[in-house]
Amino acid sequence: MTDTTTAPQSEQPGRIMSREMAEQPEVLRRILEAGAPKIRETARLVAAKKPRFVLLTARGTSDHAALYAKYLLEVRLGVPCGLSSMSTITAYGAKPDLRDVLVITVSQSGGSPDLVASTRAARDAGALTLSVTNNPDSPLAAVSEHHIDVLAGPEKALPATKTYTASLLALYLFVEGLHDGDVSATAALPELAAQLLDRQPEIRTLAARYRFAERMVITSRGYGLPTAKEAALKLMETSYIPALAYSGADLLHGPLAMVDNISPVIAVVPDGKGGEVLQPVLDRLRGRGADLVVVGPKGQVEQASAGFALPTDGVPEELQPILEIIPLHLLAYEVTIARGQDPDAPRALAKVTETR
């Protein structure tokens, strides 16, 4: 195993993922300064078509960004949304009637064949298509009527970090642009992200709890659910710990039975309605003696076995996922390093996953 305290920087495990996580404040700032006007113009053009329904298409990390957009569209605009099943088109040849439907495809690379094929098919079926990628020259961008560039810059580590938070912010700006909403609260995000990254030593201490974990459960509700799913994916793909993500409501419908006093549970607690409806779940977890760690407001952290307090004062609940995931990406990184593995290069994975 490489000694990361003495090894040259070029040989340090996780150096690429670490560098890309550190770029997030600048990426968020770039979107707000250079990307926001174009995103708002795209939103204006889409809004003029008055879509009656939205379908969101994505895989992996981008699927969690799409789920975030689903919450935004349904809560902020009251627009019904669905997460599409691409295989109905790519494998089964279904030909749905998608007139007056907006299809949003989220992909970091924009290169996966099933995403390209399903977007092309959606457009042929009458849908208004929008792709959200980190590559404006990608095949996905080429087949979409509209495109949003998340401006994250090249991402070389296999675990996506900066492209995830960039996608969340881009999607937030797009949804707010659909109804000419106030986005002034986003101005604080780059600095708040930088503050969270500066607290990496806290995360390193927290990671010691999970060095020998055999499984983990991550739960949340509302806007926090995409964060829980994304955190579970990062832990699995970097440290290989089986990490199960559940809505708090779903956790009570059976999976709670597997939680005991040696089962690590991470609860992502939004500061708002999502946190309020998660409270009964937290009470049940404490009642079972779970090793409960809370990522959320300071008051919630103080009631848990351990936790990480988020700077959510004055941050609208719908923007908090952009901050919530940063300490959890750091946690996946630190757990992986503690287990003697390299988070830059998870086994059996490729940067562009070519599913069909």
Side-chain angles (χ1 to χ4, degrees), residues 59-60 107 109 111-115 348-356:
R59 295 284 194 200
S107 170
S109 68
S112 185
D114 59 347
L115 294 171
L349 295 182
K351 189 61 179 173
V352 179
T353 305
E354 296 192 353
T355 47
R356 295 183 183 272

Side-chain angles (χ1 to χ4, degrees), residues 52 98 105 113 120 128 132 158 165 190 211 216 218 237 266 293 308 328:
R52 59 182 171 83
L98 297 179
T105 307
R120 182 186 294 112
L128 177 64
V132 180
L158 287 177
T165 48
R211 182 176 181 182
M216 294 176 63
I218 307 175
E237 71 180 354
I266 297 176
V293 169
F308 186 92
L328 292 166

